[in-house]
Amino acid sequence: MSRPAEIVFVCASGGLAAFGVLLVNLAREEVRAMPALAAFLVLAVAFGLFLVAIRAWAPDATPLLIPAASILAAVGFVTIYRLDENLASLHGWWLLLSATMSALWLYAVSEKGLGHRGGGWWPLLALAAGLVAIPSLGADGGTIWVAWRSAPAVVLNPGEIVKFVMVALFAILLAERQAFFSAGGRYTAPLRPARVTTVWQSILLLGLVLVGVAVRDSATAMIVVGMFCVMAYMATNRSAYLVGGFGAGVLWLVAGPWLSEGLQTRITVWTDPWTQPEGPGNRLAEGLFGLAAGSLSGTGFGLGDPDLIPESTTSLVFAAVGEEMGLAGTVVVLAAYALMVVTGFGIALRAREVFHKLLAGGLSLLLGGQAVMSVAGVVGLLPGTAMPIPFLSYGLSLTMAGFVILAVLARVSHEERV
Amino acid sequence: MNGPIRRVVLVLGVVFLVLVVDLTYWQAIAADRLRENPRNPRVELTRSGRERGEILSADAVVLARSVPDPLDPGAYRREYLYGSVYAHVVGFSSALFGDRGVEAAHASLLRSRRDLTTSGIINALLGDDLRPRSIQLTLYHELQATAARALGDRRGAVVALDPATGQVLAMVSSPSFNPNSLVGTNAAVVWEALTESTDGPLDNRAIAGSLPELLTSEGTITLDEMDPLSALGIASRVAAAGQDGLMMRPYLTAGVFDADSSQVSRTDPEPMAETFGYEAALSLYGESSPVAVGGASQDRPPEAVGNSGVTETGAGEPAGWFFGVWPATRPTIVVAVVVYSDGPGGGGPSRAAAASVGRAVLAAWIEMIPTSVPDG
């Protein structure tokens, strides 16, 4: 795909959003040009800006990343608009803000290139620790986001940024460790090197699980632990890490219900959604009802009842897409994610530096893993993992994380070809 | 390092495929089942706004129809044109309180199948007619209206049967209710008043039970559960007594028509296997005496015969009852009336009131005869 094709795709996604918004209004028997125009502008400007930044500061990056992301963002924007117009206008601002931030980041790294030795990455550790700590200070147990009292829709979900930061951190850690293995003798501690790394990792793993339980955002904790295990496997080719990660997952399923009442409810609902009490608590059944209502071709934008689905703009947005766009829409969404993920892993495979490989591979896995776990949670393949999906769901932190992941992947892709 | 990355991509690819397969299951294969699931909140929402077929009387008077909802573009609302007259037979279809009567018994026929379910799309492609079907009842509008008017606000019931076929020609229960009030605004308030009323306006006294349980999807009534001393119980047994014990199964649905008014199916008369309680009816029938019917004239002598009395009913409540048949030989109608109280809340069981209601219904039938003779 060439650069002009990329521009065409960005315009097409703007057109898709505008068309969808128009259909939503038509379903309400209203013809309104302004919201459709605004939707086109939001998508075209956000991704146009991102495109310009990539042409300026990462010109050799693969052009396959932006089309998929822009189509997903358009589908997500229309779905959010259909459910809540005010939320959609906020989400439009988040898209623009996130695109701007990732463009600025691309500019910032354009001078020195993407490296882990500059020291600039290490403040991320402090940032991650701080973000994890914020929600645990909240009075409302189980709340995993921070909300402003005056504007309840403007929430900061630190978990989304923590995941991104943690992946970057693991990439640094594992790259350092490889360097340590090759250099040898640089760390002259009395303990044998293998022991050092094993202990270090075990403590890290345990700490993450405990932090996750403490903030009651067990899904984020699970993803972080899983990310570490798979990235360690990528770095070392030792399948013991995968076994360990799988064991941690099983442990989470078995022990989780004793530690968290919310998780217990989710697992009970998961095992049998049809006899559990109806209503917003039974997210699995309500989400499946939404998917079933869409059937093959969907009810059409504005013609279904996705407002009956709980958390339909965030965790269960996929069910809302399935209701109004049908199986056709859900398969397109999955295909767009698959394209982004495969492109990301392709960047990792071609990258020359270990750090770049791990960073691109980890971020692709984060993107794909989050999409897969979200959808698996909606259709009931995994218990209680229905979570927001980047680009599709409403949210500032989520959209920001999505755009930054794209920017990092684009930069790695650019450097691998220079 | 590329080896493990490739394997991770492979696993993710397999997971994506599994998700597509699972989504296909939920959105295509299991979708119809989920859409019908009573716990699905969409079931009630779509039912209230969808077009449903018409319900007609035997003489083609529209009793219930769907009209475009002026408040909600694209949606329909149900209209019951004669309100309380047919309340217990036609019933109602409510998003909030469920379906009753014929609306419940034939819910699947009356519903539009024009939707986006997998089966709906496939049937549409195959050229099936998915528009809602209409149902013709065996009730005659004039007879039904006369019965309702004659019964007035007494607590009781009237049933008129064609003894040769078992067709129910009229079925009225009092006190009644207006089904339109259950599909409009304030429906919840009306429903609460109806369910809490000591008069039991929702009960169908003609069969001493509620229609959905007694009315099968074929449109016939299961008599074994029917109170033998309800109006329908008396009418069907008297009808059997007049035909040497051949008891026809009473039924309400004459036929089903598609949107182009061509007949899809019709209900055929069917004799009952067992005729319990028939001997008692036979002795009462034998004691019948001529009944003076208002509608009689020179051409049509008052050939009606009937009987009346006061009896303890199965429900433990004394009732004044009346039955009359016309003509006395080879009757075309059997009318049974039960009156529990001669007025709203006051007066006891009244044999005289039952007899006067019965005579009015017989007279209306005799008036109708030249224009409409029931087949069979």
Side-chain angles (χ1 to χ4, degrees):
Chain A
M1 201 181 304
S2 60
R3 289 289 168 194
E6 231 175 359
I7 297 169
V8 169
F9 253 100
V10 167
C11 291
S13 69
L16 177 67
F19 186 57
V21 166
L22 200 66
L23 286 181
V24 170
N25 281 318
L26 278 177
R28 296 172 186 155
E29 308 244 315
E30 292 169 19
V31 181
R32 289 164 66 191
M34 283 316 287
L37 186 67
F40 177 83
L41 283 178
V42 162
L43 267 294
V45 169
F47 281 93
L49 188 73
F50 190 63
L51 201 61
V52 167
I54 284 184
R55 294 200 80 162
W57 300 306
D60 293 318
T62 169
L64 284 169
L65 286 168
I66 293 179
S70 64
I71 296 293
L72 286 172
V75 169
F77 186 83
V78 175
T79 307
I80 295 165
Y81 179 84
R82 185 258 173 276
L83 288 158
D84 189 340
E85 276 182 49
N86 297 327
L87 209 60
S89 62
L90 267 180
H91 189 66
W93 288 112
W94 301 157
L95 281 168
L96 293 169
L97 185 65
S98 304
T100 313
M101 290 294 285
S102 53
L104 287 176
W105 182 86
L106 277 171
Y107 168 71
V109 294
S110 63
E111 287 292 313
K112 287 181 164 180
L114 194 60
H116 61 287
R117 291 183 187 272
W121 285 96
W122 288 104
L124 290 175
L125 178 64
L127 182 65
L131 287 171
V132 169
I134 291 172
S136 53
L137 295 174
D140 183 15
T143 306
I144 55 168
W145 30 260
V146 183
W148 272 263
R149 215 160 284 221
S150 51
V154 186
V155 298
L156 182 66
N157 188 346
E160 299 305 331
I161 298 170
V162 165
K163 280 180 247 181
F164 167 77
V165 171
M166 283 305 201
V167 168
L169 202 63
F170 293 151
I172 296 165
L173 190 77
L174 292 164
E176 286 283 345
R177 214 195 70 158
Q178 277 225 339
F180 159 76
F181 268 121
S182 55
R186 195 174 144 203
Y187 298 88
T188 50
L191 288 163
R192 286 171 52 136
R195 286 273 168 87
V196 175
T197 50
T198 313
V199 170
W200 183 199
Q201 285 153 17
S202 310
I203 290 171
L204 189 71
L205 205 67
L206 196 66
L208 287 171
V209 172
L210 289 177
V211 164
V213 171
V215 299
R216 302 196 193 180
D217 186 3
S218 46
T220 300
M222 220 26 242
I223 286 192
V224 169
V225 172
M227 289 303 306
F228 176 76
C229 294
V230 179
M231 283 176 72
Y233 168 70
M234 286 183 198
T236 62
N237 199 12
R238 277 161 61 181
S239 48
Y241 285 110
L242 294 181
V243 175
F246 189 74
V250 172
L251 193 73
W252 174 63
L253 274 186
V254 174
W258 273 283
L259 299 170
S260 155
E261 206 176 313
L263 187 64
Q264 188 175 5
T265 315
R266 288 181 187 192
I267 289 179
T268 318
V269 167
W270 177 60
T271 45
D272 186 8
W274 310 117
T275 58
Q276 293 301 309
E278 303 159 57
N282 196 339
R283 306 197 297 176
L284 180 52
E286 300 295 332
L288 288 177
F289 284 146
L291 286 176
S295 198
L296 296 182
S297 56
T299 59
F301 280 131
L303 296 172
D305 299 293
D307 38 350
L308 296 172
I309 304 168
E311 298 170 40
S312 50
T313 53
T314 51
S315 303
L316 293 181
V317 72
F318 191 78
V321 170
E323 171 152 11
E324 300 218 313
M325 297 180 74
L327 183 63
T330 51
V331 170
V332 164
V333 165
L334 278 182
Y337 273 111
L339 176 65
M340 271 207 295
V341 172
V342 167
T343 309
F345 276 114
I347 293 167
L349 286 174
R350 284 189 301 270
R352 287 189 291 266
E353 283 184 42
V354 172
F355 173 60
H356 285 179
K357 273 187 187 299
L358 287 171
L359 194 60
L363 291 180
S364 307
L365 184 70
L366 178 61
L367 210 56
Q370 206 160 343
V372 159
M373 283 183 81
S374 176
V375 177
V378 170
V379 297
L381 285 177
L382 286 174
T385 55
M387 59 181 78
I389 317 183
F391 296 112
L392 211 58
S393 300
Y394 168 81
L396 170 60
S397 322
L398 190 75
T399 312
M400 186 80 85
F403 266 97
V404 172
I405 288 173
L406 279 195
V408 175
L409 288 177
R411 182 68 205 181
V412 173
S413 174
H414 167 75
E415 291 194 9
E416 128 228 337
R417 293 181 186 199
V418 172
Chain B
M1 255 185 93
N2 282 356
I5 293 180
R6 283 208 179 86
R7 283 190 281 278
V8 169
V9 178
L10 199 68
V11 170
L12 257 183
V14 170
V15 172
F16 268 106
L17 278 182
V18 168
L19 287 179
V20 169
V21 169
D22 204 45
L23 278 170
T24 310
Y25 172 75
W26 289 116
Q27 296 200 271
I29 296 159
D32 287 0
R33 181 163 54 79
L34 256 64
R35 290 168 67 105
E36 303 283 326
N37 191 319
R39 297 163 62 102
N40 188 339
R42 286 163 191 78
V43 172
E44 286 174 359
L45 275 178
T46 53
R47 187 170 60 186
S48 60
R50 284 275 172 81
E51 185 181 9
R52 288 168 71 86
E54 289 183 340
I55 299 176
L56 306 154
S57 74
D59 39 356
V61 176
V62 177
L63 309 178
R65 66 181 176 195
S66 283
V67 291
D69 192 338
L71 303 172
D72 188 3
Y76 290 84
R77 59 171 295 172
R78 204 67 168 146
E79 196 175 75
Y80 300 99
L81 286 92
Y82 298 95
S84 60
V85 174
Y86 290 90
H88 294 97
V89 180
V90 169
F92 52 84
S93 172
S94 160
L96 299 169
F97 320 117
D99 294 356
R100 288 280 178 100
V102 170
E103 290 270 42
H106 296 292
S108 60
L109 281 173
L110 288 165
R111 193 181 56 200
S112 165
R113 283 152 298 141
R114 192 164 35 180
D115 52 27
L116 290 164
T117 56
T118 318
S119 58
I121 291 168
I122 291 170
N123 289 338
L125 289 174
L126 293 174
D128 273 13
D129 184 2
L130 301 178
R131 289 172 292 178
R133 292 176 166 176
S134 54
I135 286 174
Q136 185 162 37
L137 304 181
T138 56
L139 306 179
Y140 280 87
H141 181 58
E142 191 56 45
L143 207 61
Q144 179 84 0
T146 305
R149 206 180 316 119
L151 197 57
D153 49 16
R154 296 181 182 95
R155 207 146 54 82
V158 180
V159 165
L161 275 184
D162 177 353
T165 60
Q167 287 183 355
V168 179
L169 305 172
M171 182 184 273
V172 174
S173 174
S174 172
S176 190
F177 60 96
N178 187 351
N180 291 307
S181 63
L182 290 173
V183 293
T185 49
N186 275 338
V189 178
V190 175
W191 179 253
E192 201 180 333
L194 286 175
T195 47
E196 285 177 5
S197 167
T198 48
D199 275 342
L202 291 169
D203 299 338
N204 186 354
R205 285 164 220 280
I207 55 173
S210 59
L211 260 182
E213 289 100 57
L214 295 177
L215 193 72
T216 65
S217 55
E218 289 83 41
T220 56
I221 294 163
T222 53
L223 210 62
D224 21 320
E225 288 177 46
M226 192 171 69
D227 185 345
L229 270 164
S230 67
L232 183 63
I234 295 169
S236 55
R237 284 167 182 84
V238 167
Q243 301 185 89
D244 304 323
L246 176 67
M247 194 188 276
M248 300 303 288
R249 184 182 292 278
Y251 66 95
L252 276 165
T253 311
V256 178
F257 293 84
D258 67 16
D260 300 323
S261 303
S262 56
Q263 195 163 35
V264 177
S265 69
R266 55 172 286 177
T267 314
D268 290 319
E270 180 193 349
M272 300 269 293
E274 290 177 72
T275 54
F276 41 90
Y278 146 71
E279 287 78 10
L282 194 62
S283 68
L284 287 174
Y285 188 72
E287 293 161 15
S288 300
S289 51
V291 176
V293 178
S297 67
Q298 287 279 307
D299 310 332
R300 287 186 291 274
E303 299 167 80
V305 292
N307 205 340
S308 61
V310 176
T311 320
E312 193 90 357
T313 62
E317 195 181 5
W321 57 264
F322 164 88
F323 71 78
V325 299
W326 185 92
T329 51
R330 292 178 56 80
T332 59
I333 188 170
V334 175
V335 175
V337 184
V338 174
V339 173
Y340 295 98
S341 74
D342 194 7
S350 175
R351 164 184 183 168
S356 84
V357 172
R359 279 199 303 271
V361 176
L362 285 170
W365 181 252
I366 294 166
E367 287 286 315
M368 283 165 63
I369 278 304
T371 52
S372 59
V373 178
D375 50 55

